[in-house]
Amino acid sequence: MTTEIQPAPGATRKRRVRSATSLTRSSGIGLGLAVTWFSLLVLIPLALVVIQSADGGWQTFRDTLTNSQTAAALRLTVTQALIVTLVNVVFGTLIAWVLVRDHFWGKRILEVIIDIPFALPTIVAGLVLLSLYGPDSPIGINVANTERSVFLALLFVTLPFVVRTVEPVLLELDPEVEEAAASLGASRFTTLRRILLPALAPAITAGAALSFARGISEYGSLVLLSGNLPNKTEVASVRILTYIENGNEAAAASVAVLLLGVALIAIILLQVLTSVVSKRA
């Protein structure tokens, strides 16, 4: 009579976990190359910026951020980027909905136009905006050297982000699900809240994060239209360049680190908001 040896409790599960997390030789090499490439492009430069911001000590960091001109530039940059992001969330989602669910003449042309801010050099975008909304505006609207010019420039360069992140998700959504909900008596608001919004929330969050990050870091489209007036239309990126031109790299790095922190906080908050929306749906 043979006795079958039973594996120890948990041994099979441990083997499965180990095999699930193990990498083949080629996968390990690929992962190593990817991490190395990412470190060279992102992690190491970011670490050097943080280290450079600490060169002058806490006093330099504090003096830089409490400087009235720098504080005004940071306040203007973050405020306008937030407003632009909110506008993009609403209108970007609406534009994506129209492009996916409606069919009309000129739809292909509109698809191309939406992507222009991606391909257009930002300094050219600034020149285009200045020619239309500057002192010689053919439509009689002059916003040059005002806070509205910052809003307009950021809105132009960030327009495609929410549209292009939401559009693929809408393409994957089956309209029959919405029709089934309507046939069961669900109102349009209920369908939006329980079906559409949870599905679109991650895409909207990703687009909003990209829009905000681009907004607080924008430079090229602003330099011509805003006029870079201290304490009025000067943004954080221009302030960083001013510090570098004056040989104060530690101050420039301090502003850059603060912008990095603001971007990370915004991304985390958006992720939390997405989780809350998904759970309540």
Side-chain angles (χ1 to χ4, degrees), residues 8 80 118 127 137 202 255 266 270:
Q80 294 300 319
F118 279 151
L127 182 60
S137 171
V255 179
L270 287 171

Side-chain angles (χ1 to χ4, degrees), residues 175-192 195:
E176 293 182 357
V177 177
E178 302 165 40
E179 295 173 0
S183 65
L184 293 174
S187 64
R188 290 188 176 182
F189 177 75
T190 302
T191 302
L192 174 66
I195 297 176

